[in-house]
Each structure stands twice: as C-alpha cells, then as structure tokens.
Amino acid sequence: MSSSSTTTTSSSSTAASTSSSASSLTTTTSFETGVQYGFFFDQSRCITCMTCTVACKTWNQLEPGPTKWLRIYEWESGTFPTPEINALYAPCYHCQNPVCVDAANGAMFKEPKYGAVLIDPNQATSASLRAAWDACPYGSIVFDSDAPNANASKCTMCIDRLEQGLMPICVLSCQMRALDFGPLSDLQAKYGTNAQLNGMPSPSTTTPSVVFKQKDARQQIVTLDPNSVLSLMGNRSPLPAVYTDPSSVTTITPGLVGRNQLNMKASSTEELMDYTSNDDA
Ligand code: SF4
Ligand code: SF4
Ligand code: SF4
C-alpha cells in the first residue's frame, strides 16, 4: 500500500523469508490514520472454506452460533450446462454513509482514525440496535438470539489489531488470497471501484468501504453439445434411464435447492444459520 509501511517483527528473518504465512502473522504495518479503510474481496478466488469466519470468532472470542461478525454466504444459481456456486464475504463494510449510525440514536458512531463504524456499549440498547439492523442493507449487526433483549454486536474492522499495527485477522487467514485490506483509495486504485456483486443491495445508499471483484460468468471450455450430454447422462442401458425428460435436469424444481439466492437480511437467527452454514462457528 502506498500510504503505509511494513515492519517484520519476527526474530527469525530466515523463517520469515521462507514462510509467507509465518511472515504475514508477524508483520506489522504503520497504518496511516484519518483516512477511510476498507476491504477487497475477490469472488473468483473464494472457496467458501470459512477459515476467515473461524479466525474472526477465535480472535474476538465469540460464541459458536449466530454471533457472526463475519458471514460467508454461498448460494447456487444456473442449471446444466452452466451451474454456478457464488460466494460473498460479509463483515461490516464500514460505510461512508452509515445509515445504521443515523438509526441507532447515539448507540453507534463512526470513529475518525480508520473510518470504522462501531457500537458504543455505554449507549447501546436492544431497541436502538434493532433499529440500526433495520437500516443496514447488509445485515451486518448480529444478535445472539431472537429474544427482544438479545445482545447485539458487529465487526469492529479489527480496530484493536490495527492499533497494534496488525492487519484484520480475517484478511490474514485467507489462504486463497481472496481478501485485502487498506486505505479504500489504495484498494480502488489497485482493484477498481465496484462495490456490488450480483444479488447484493445497491451501494448507492450507504457507500460501503469495499471493493469487489465479480467472478467471471461460467464458460463452457470443452466443446460439447449439451443435448448430447443430456442424452448420455440419462441413458444407462441396460439399467433403467436416470431420467427420460431432460428438462428435469435443466430446470430447478422450487425447493430443490435450499440456497438459490443471496439473503443478507435473515429474519431470525435460525434463518441466518441456514444461509451461512457450512461452519459451526
Ligand atoms: S478464508 Fe478466503 S477462501 Fe475461505 S471463505 Fe474466507 S474469503 Fe473465502
Ligand atoms: S454495513 Fe451496515 S452496519 Fe456496517 S456501516 Fe454499513 S450500514 Fe452500518
Ligand atoms: S475485520 Fe476483524 S472483526 Fe471484522 S470480520 Fe474481519 S476478523 Fe472479524
């Protein structure tokens, strides 16, 4: 990043130079302050392994269950011959127009050093944070339960780590290098300014501090005739046919695919768990 410098604090320069993961865990950064920081997510790299969600829970000592400061969504779309699996990294996007703050009646604020949007525990009530949740288009405030007085919390941008010169733990944990973090202007210079993936709410209301790389549409890289393939897959003579109507493969019966769309605003903790399962964290 052009506006920050790094210092390796490992006592073993040899170890640091021979292990990128060890290096990244022991490298501190001099973060420039007074600018808006944000995240980058490359949808084409994410394999929905959930490592980042577990790292977030572990660092922040969050209980298993719906207190997910970081949610990874996975949903299916398309049908044969171009079925797709989609992924979304969803912490708080620390918006530049944080409508949650406006709705929270003093219970939330945008701090000035990194532009992180935070909850003020001294002002927070369940009602004020329910109002903030209603306002947030991304479901980034999470509740421990559906009880009216449930505790609410959210991603802090790892501000405690930033203050120690450490990158957010979710970003460091991603072995696919699908994530990046830094001054938003640097991220935009490097990756562009797209702040919306297919299926997401428009960024026009909140101006989220994030850059996304949309994965490419699935392409057929092996030349084949889909109709011939359908015929071959259905026919397993002398056994009975798997199917006789090819449309049973190329159309989806409603309810067959549980997660066929992105749902960032789950109406209950149970629904949140359904849409972000694959991890028990
Ligand atoms: S660790 Fe990386 S690849 Fe795994 S779910 Fe998170 S963003 Fe995706
Ligand atoms: S993502 Fe939601 S909770 Fe986070 S700053 Fe934006 S509006 Fe607020
Ligand atoms: S920045 Fe920190 S608190 Fe926010 S999702 Fe990543 S690990 Fe969790």
Side-chain angles (χ1 to χ4, degrees):
M1 302 276 165
S2 60
S3 53
S4 58
S5 61
T6 58
T7 304
T8 300
T9 57
S10 167
S11 59
S12 169
S13 59
T14 303
S17 64
T18 56
S19 168
S20 60
S21 59
S23 172
S24 63
L25 289 171
T26 56
T27 300
T28 58
T29 300
S30 299
F31 291 109
E32 179 186 7
T33 57
V35 299
Q36 177 68 56
Y37 278 74
F39 299 101
F40 167 71
F41 173 62
D42 183 341
Q43 189 184 38
S44 65
R45 283 181 169 264
C46 179
I47 56 172
T48 64
C49 66
M50 307 291 174
T51 304
C52 52
T53 67
V54 174
C56 176
K57 285 240 179 192
T58 303
W59 176 262
N60 292 295
Q61 300 182 15
L62 303 175
E63 293 290 324
T67 311
K68 295 177 178 233
W69 292 6
L70 171 54
R71 295 148 292 139
I72 292 288
Y73 291 96
E74 179 188 281
W75 70 103
E76 297 178 35
S77 60
T79 58
F80 178 85
T82 53
E84 298 190 40
I85 294 180
N86 310 280
L88 174 64
Y89 161 82
C92 168
Y93 298 122
H94 301 279
C95 303
Q96 294 161 78
N97 180 26
V99 292
C100 55
V101 173
D102 299 338
N105 196 25
M108 295 178 67
F109 64 102
K110 191 168 181 65
E111 63 77 37
K113 284 179 78 173
Y114 312 99
V117 172
L118 303 171
I119 292 173
D120 180 347
N122 296 318
Q123 302 292 326
T125 63
S126 293
S128 61
L129 294 177
R130 290 274 179 205
W133 183 91
D134 285 342
C136 170
Y138 303 114
S140 295
I141 298 162
V142 289
F143 295 85
D144 292 354
S145 75
D146 296 328
N149 62 348
N151 185 55
S153 56
K154 66 180 285 299
C155 159
T156 62
M157 200 192 268
C158 276
I159 193 167
D160 55 330
R161 292 177 57 84
L162 302 184
E163 290 288 78
Q164 299 173 59
L166 298 169
M167 293 280 275
I169 194 69
C170 54
V171 176
L172 280 187
S173 74
C174 179
Q175 77 274 25
M176 294 303 293
R177 302 290 190 266
L179 302 175
D180 200 354
F181 175 83
L184 183 61
S185 57
D186 285 7
L187 298 178
Q188 290 173 331
K190 190 171 178 182
Y191 302 113
T193 57
N194 178 35
Q196 182 182 24
L197 294 178
N198 289 347
M200 289 187 71
S202 167
S204 61
T205 307
T206 67
T207 317
S209 302
V210 66
V211 176
F212 292 120
K213 179 183 175 189
Q214 174 87 48
K215 70 181 174 61
D216 294 333
R218 182 143 181 195
Q219 296 178 0
Q220 197 174 314
I221 56 176
V222 177
T223 305
L224 51 77
D225 172 13
N227 290 325
S228 299
V229 173
L230 283 171
S231 174
L232 285 170
M233 289 197 307
N235 185 358
R236 54 175 186 171
S237 178
L239 295 173
V242 180
Y243 53 81
T244 53
D245 179 4
S247 70
S248 64
V249 179
T250 56
T251 57
I252 301 280
T253 308
L256 184 65
V257 176
R259 290 185 302 197
N260 59 4
Q261 62 183 354
L262 174 63
N263 175 10
M264 301 187 79
K265 294 280 283 185
S267 59
S268 66
T269 51
E270 182 180 358
E271 191 173 285
L272 173 69
M273 295 300 285
D274 282 347
Y275 274 88
T276 58
S277 57
N278 295 354
D279 67 330
D280 292 319

